[in-house]
Amino acid sequence: MSIIFNEENKIFTLQTKSSSYQMKVDSYGLLVHTYYGKKIPICDMSYNFENGYYLSFSPYDAIAQPWNPHSVDMLPQEISTYGNGDFRESAINVRQADGSLGLELRYDSYKIEKGKYSLQGLPSFYGENAETLVITLKDKVYDIYVHLYYGIFEEYDLITRAYKVENKTNSAINLEKAMISLDFFNGDFDLVTFHGKHMKERMLQRNEVFYGTSSVGSSRGASSHMQNPFAILCDTNANEEYGSVYGFGLVYSGNFLISASKSQNRSTRVNVGINPENFNFILEAGDSFVTPEVAMVYSNEGFGKMSRCYHKAIRNNLCRGKFKTARRPVLINNWEGTYFDFNADKLVAMANDASKIGIELFVMDDGWFGKRDNDLSGLGDWTPNEKKLQGTLKELGDRINATGMKFGIWFEPECISADSDLYRAHPDYAFQMPNRVPSESRNQLVLDMSRKEVRDNIYNQLEKVLNSANISYVKWDFNRHISDLYSVALPKDRQGEVFHRYILGLYELLERITANFPDILFESCSGGGGRVDMGMLYYMPQVWTSDNSDAIDRLEIQYGTSFAYPVSAMGAHVSTVPNHGNARVTPLKTRGIVAYFGTYGVELDITKMTDEEKTEIQRQIVEFKEYYDLIQYGEYYRLQGPFDSTKFYTVWEVAKEDGSEALVASVRNRNEAGFVHEIIKLNGLIPDKFYRINNSEKLYSGAALMEHGLKMEYDFFAYPARLYHITLAE
Ligand code: DGJ
């Protein structure tokens, strides 16, 4: 039992393997958050608040005065509302039918269920290996109910949260904010977030949580390259292996906000959820609204353990479908090899060469449909360009299959070019504000996915294409953010719903297509890593991590991405040099090793490679497959990150959970003179066992490798990389 309810004292305690989480219904019916942190035996942790809590200028419950001031501004709460005296950042704002903003949520009831709750229309973690707690709160005055959902995955130290707001009054109310909040009553924290831009996603940034509010978010209609919907609150001295850290991952792909606020009494409140900017949802009498889920992992052993919990939970209880467990094929994508300049003969020539060296899947990227020889036109017209394909799509697929390869294809279903037949027929399908010319980005507009007829049109086009040929893989791209937001399908007072309805529409479309084509491997993409979030991973088990394929820049991108997301989700390809993004030249071996710690694929014109280079790729594929299970399902350790300018190497490791085998990868990411040898401490081994390194005769003690470390070998050329395969000696 991971959910324990003490009926007498009205205390809910959630116990995971290493964490405890507690709430208590206080004597005023308020659900107070009493504890979240390292696992402790069950006891009532409300003693610090039981005699009331009060400071000047903090309003309190009128019935409590004067002896026992009960100030909501001071109390740590499970869900914080605005309007009755809590001046901190609220989680939920409801504007009542009379225009007031009061919402005083008080305990009503609870239920405990086996298995994990699901959320209508939204992605969420799932599984029979979880338990669900639902606590229902009700407004003191009106029939507005909030059902708080908790999913407890004991093994992963994962607690998920979401809630449903139910309007059981006779009038419409406005939901102006719907976030999850978590109060820490004591302590000083840092906030770690992951910012970036196109081609440089998920750069780690760490800042002290100061008096006031620090926040990151997106109002771009997508989770975005610029900020990731994942953040960590941690002890100021926490590191990879030490300290209390709390991860917050939002299972959502649209506008979001994550904030950490420190108040006068040193309490810290974290808010996570849909960005309240441009959000206003009307709930008519009888309507309800479900928030996206927040996935929280607590680790008392630093960032590393937290990441490993997320990796397992995402792999096993978020990703779905056949390719959750099936080995994904090694692919070649033609984008960096040809861009728009290809025809079928060119693709088949590439496929031919690729198949000879062990590549298993050929992916035809952008440019195969409509009028699409550049990015000025064609999006929305998902009809194969038979001139360019020198026949039907089926014929091309068959030609690719004849080389021994599977065949995959690119789509950008959410966007439309003004120069397309679809736009000419339905200009209103694209977002645009009345009387204004919409702004283009990459020469394209965004389709209003909140509308069913728009989704149906796109679905029907995609379905036709997918049924017309033997297609094994789909890359689902999204190459701009949403401006000019306005839906002709909604009245003016409901325009604040459009961003969220867009995401609900996208999820509905993704559910439909992935359910109807269960044998297809789907990879999500948004100009590379613009929608790397837990929401998309529910529908597609892998994502193109970044359009930046340079091995050295990838060290930073994959390092940042690894804090929340597993290796199995990270699309990573070997591309040509000089790299198309930054002109850097790196050894082919280094490019391979970096791509191994992702899905490993190739993205270049293979017909232009020398025989020697092809042999090296062939060797890499064999090596990658040999280590596939270890890499994809192993425990991931960041041993040395790429950001320390005094260090030369980036080093990471994957180890079997039982410590019997590990693979360490090192890349020299700083090409500077003044090199000193670096000794790196390994992790995840068995201290009292001995190991061989790359089949060495010499034996190394597990304890020594972890406590004393291993010297990274020196190679005198630019950006060398090495693998150290650590195996248990008999
Ligand atoms: C952006 C993607 O990230 C690229 O890999 C490629 O698919 C292009 N779009 C095609 O337009």
Side-chain angles (χ1 to χ4, degrees):
M1 272 297 274
S2 45
I3 303 169
I4 300 100
F5 181 52
N6 178 324
E7 195 86 52
E8 196 188 332
N9 298 315
K10 297 254 180 320
I11 297 170
F12 296 93
T13 308
L14 316 181
Q15 297 284 62
T16 70
K17 204 166 156 191
S18 315
S19 72
S20 299
Y21 185 104
Q22 197 183 78
M23 303 156 265
K24 176 173 172 147
V25 182
D26 76 4
S27 47
Y28 301 92
L30 194 79
L31 190 61
V32 176
H33 175 81
T34 54
Y35 181 76
Y36 186 28
K38 189 174 172 174
K39 188 168 190 172
I40 55 173
I42 295 172
C43 61
D44 181 350
M45 278 171 280
S46 67
Y47 50 83
N48 284 325
F49 326 112
E50 65 196 3
N51 295 323
Y53 223 91
Y54 174 72
L55 269 181
S56 324
F57 291 89
S58 291
Y60 46 83
D61 202 311
I63 58 164
Q65 60 176 312
W67 312 115
N68 187 14
H70 181 259
S71 170
V72 283
D73 196 30
M74 286 296 117
L75 284 164
Q77 294 169 65
E78 199 48 32
I79 177 160
S80 53
T81 59
Y82 181 77
N84 300 88
D86 187 343
F87 297 115
R88 295 168 292 178
E89 297 281 321
S90 57
I92 174 170
N93 289 358
V94 169
R95 193 164 299 276
Q96 305 290 352
D98 58 17
S100 67
L101 259 182
L103 183 69
E104 297 173 280
L105 295 174
R106 298 295 180 263
Y107 177 74
D108 179 78
S109 57
Y110 82 98
K111 62 179 183 218
I112 295 174
E113 284 163 359
K114 275 228 85 48
K116 163 74 174 35
Y117 64 83
S118 59
L119 300 173
Q120 180 67 35
L122 283 167
S124 61
F125 284 80
Y126 62 88
E128 288 310 307
N129 54 335
E131 280 184 57
T132 293
L133 167 68
V134 184
I135 302 179
T136 296
L137 309 175
K138 183 192 166 294
D139 182 44
K140 259 178 164 177
V141 179
Y142 297 113
D143 281 346
I144 296 169
Y145 289 81
V146 175
H147 308 277
L148 304 177
Y149 298 114
Y150 298 83
I152 297 94
F153 292 84
E154 197 175 349
E155 243 342 86
Y156 313 139
D157 292 320
L158 169 69
I159 296 177
T160 63
R161 288 179 58 189
Y163 60 83
K164 178 160 98 178
V165 184
E166 239 186 325
N167 177 14
K168 290 195 176 173
T169 70
N170 297 323
S171 332
I173 58 171
N174 279 35
L175 190 60
E176 296 182 352
K177 195 176 188 186
M179 302 178 77
I180 305 288
S181 64
L182 185 66
D183 282 352
F184 294 86
F185 203 64
N186 195 18
D188 296 314
F189 296 104
D190 280 352
L191 182 67
V192 179
T193 57
F194 299 87
H195 73 102
K197 53 187 165 189
H198 178 227
M199 300 195 99
K200 204 83 192 198
E201 298 89 345
R202 290 167 298 286
M203 300 292 110
L204 183 145
Q205 106 182 300
R206 181 172 181 163
N207 289 297
E208 179 192 340
V209 176
F210 54 81
Y211 287 96
T213 300
S214 345
S215 70
V216 295
S218 165
S219 51
R220 296 167 167 270
S223 50
S224 89
H225 317 70
M226 293 71 198
Q227 297 290 348
N228 194 262
F230 175 74
I232 305 165
L233 191 79
C234 60
D235 286 347
T236 51
N237 58 354
N239 61 25
E240 278 297 325
E241 290 183 52
Y242 173 82
S244 275
V245 310
Y246 301 84
F248 299 90
L250 184 63
V251 189
Y252 192 62
S253 312
N255 290 349
F256 74 93
L257 187 73
I258 301 179
S259 70
S261 322
K262 190 167 177 172
S263 317
Q264 52 175 338
N265 58 348
R266 291 179 92 205
S267 67
T268 295
R269 173 171 292 170
V270 174
N271 277 11
V272 186
I274 296 177
N275 195 335
E277 195 176 326
N278 302 320
F279 173 82
N280 180 27
F281 224 93
I282 297 179
L283 298 185
E284 295 291 346
D287 279 1
S288 54
F289 181 91
V290 179
T291 68
E293 177 168 280
V294 177
M296 309 187 305
V297 168
Y298 168 77
S299 153
N300 60 326
E301 290 166 38
F303 303 121
K305 183 177 171 196
M306 173 208 71
S307 295
R308 290 187 288 279
C309 286
Y310 275 116
H311 295 172
K312 274 182 262 195
I314 290 173
R315 277 196 316 252
N316 300 329
N317 293 87
L318 183 66
C319 292
R320 300 176 301 163
K322 177 173 162 184
F323 291 96
K324 169 179 157 175
T325 45
R327 187 176 70 71
R328 322 242 179 98
V330 173
L331 68 79
I332 180 164
N333 177 306
N334 74 307
W335 181 244
E336 286 197 29
T338 66
Y339 297 103
F340 291 104
D341 186 17
F342 62 84
N343 62 13
D345 288 345
K346 175 71 198 168
L347 301 184
V348 173
M350 290 171 82
N352 237 321
D353 281 12
S355 72
K356 288 189 191 126
I357 58 171
I359 298 177
E360 298 158 309
L361 163 72
F362 186 89
V363 178
M364 174 170 67
D365 210 281
D366 195 355
W368 57 268
F369 52 90
K371 182 180 143 204
R372 186 79 173 166
D373 287 323
N374 50 46
D375 61 19
L376 294 172
S377 59
L379 290 179
D381 298 340
W382 299 106
T383 315
N385 176 345
E386 294 189 354
K387 197 163 157 241
K388 204 166 174 179
L389 303 190
Q390 300 170 288
T392 63
L393 188 68
K394 171 161 175 32
E395 282 160 354
L396 173 61
D398 292 347
R399 288 177 73 190
I400 301 281
N401 290 161
T403 69
M405 312 254 293
K406 292 179 187 304
F407 178 49
I409 195 170
W410 176 98
F411 286 104
E412 189 173 359
E414 300 156 73
C415 288
I416 183 166
S417 308
D419 185 0
S420 66
D421 292 341
L422 185 65
Y423 188 78
R424 280 182 283 275
H426 300 284
D428 63 297
Y429 276 14
F431 283 130
Q432 43 202 310
M433 298 189 202
N435 306 318
R436 290 180 201 279
V437 177
S439 314
E440 296 204 350
S441 180
R442 205 199 188 198
N443 311 301
Q444 62 199 53
L445 302 168
V446 183
L447 288 168
D448 181 354
M449 286 292 167
S450 72
R451 292 171 61 185
K452 180 150 179 0
E453 63 274 33
V454 176
R455 297 198 298 273
D456 286 349
N457 180 302
I458 295 297
Y459 179 82
N460 293 337
Q461 290 198 58
L462 264 52
E463 184 185 52
K464 195 166 162 207
V465 173
L466 295 177
N467 281 332
S468 73
N470 187 18
I471 294 171
S472 307
Y473 164 104
V474 164
K475 177 173 171 187
W476 184 292
D477 208 346
F478 181 57
N479 282 302
R480 63 159 295 176
H481 290 145
I482 304 175
S483 62
D484 303 270
L485 186 82
Y486 181 85
S487 179
V488 294
L490 288 171
K492 66 178 184 200
D493 57 346
R494 284 195 176 262
Q495 293 298 321
E497 301 177 13
V498 183
F499 266 133
H500 183 58
R501 286 186 183 276
Y502 177 92
I503 295 295
L504 293 178
L506 169 64
Y507 288 154
E508 188 270 337
L509 184 58
L510 290 174
E511 184 65 44
R512 225 195 302 178
I513 204 127
T514 52
N516 289 342
F517 293 93
D519 292 327
I520 290 183
L521 168 61
F522 285 84
E523 174 158 359
S524 93
C525 174
S526 172
R531 238 173 9 194
V532 175
D533 57 63
M534 296 182 195
M536 292 310 275
L537 288 174
Y538 181 72
Y539 301 97
M540 315 192 190
Q542 64 187 57
V543 47
W544 181 226
T545 317
S546 176
D547 271 349
N548 187 338
S549 60
D550 168 56
I552 302 306
D553 282 353
R554 272 291 181 126
L555 293 175
E556 297 182 348
I557 294 166
Q558 292 178 196
Y559 171 84
T561 306
S562 77
F563 275 78
Y565 309 100
V567 164
S568 59
M570 284 191 231
H573 298 169
V574 171
S575 63
T576 196
V577 290
N579 183 269
H580 290 184
N582 62 8
R584 192 186 335 243
V585 176
T586 50
L588 188 48
K589 181 177 171 195
T590 301
R591 282 175 269 154
I593 287 181
V594 173
Y596 288 173
F597 292 84
T599 56
Y600 187 85
V602 177
E603 183 159 341
L604 39 70
D605 185 350
I606 196 160
T607 63
K608 294 192 179 138
M609 289 185 109
T610 62
D611 287 346
E612 200 189 334
E613 287 170 327
K614 285 186 204 160
T615 309
E616 167 59 11
I617 296 278
Q618 188 169 24
R619 186 198 66 77
Q620 289 183 6
I621 293 169
V622 172
E623 187 167 66
F624 173 66
K625 284 189 183 167
E626 192 181 317
Y627 294 136
Y628 187 87
D629 285 356
L630 181 59
I631 292 177
Q632 303 294 314
Y633 310 119
E635 303 276 296
Y636 190 86
Y637 295 93
R638 289 174 293 267
L639 301 182
Q640 185 159 286
F643 291 110
D644 184 341
S645 61
T646 66
K647 307 266 173 68
F648 286 81
Y649 286 101
T650 300
V651 190
W652 65 100
E653 176 190 340
V654 284
K656 272 198 182 149
E657 208 162 355
D658 65 6
S660 61
E661 187 184 355
L663 187 66
V664 176
S666 75
V667 179
R668 193 170 151 196
N669 57 310
R670 235 167 282 281
N671 242 359
E672 293 164 10
F675 175 82
V676 282
H677 282 293
E678 278 168 27
I679 293 177
I680 302 289
K681 292 182 184 175
L682 310 192
N683 218 319
L685 304 178
I686 309 167
D688 55 2
K689 296 276 184 193
F690 283 83
Y691 294 86
R692 296 182 198 282
I693 300 180
N694 295 336
N695 283 325
S696 60
E697 292 239 324
K698 187 174 165 56
L699 299 185
Y700 298 80
S701 130
L705 288 172
M706 292 194 290
E707 301 306 326
H708 176 59
L710 177 69
K711 187 178 84 179
M712 299 291 102
E713 293 303 335
Y714 180 71
D715 297 295
F716 189 65
F717 51 87
Y719 307 114
R722 283 200 184 219
L723 286 180
Y724 301 87
H725 186 211
I726 320 280
T727 45
L728 209 51
E730 294 304 309

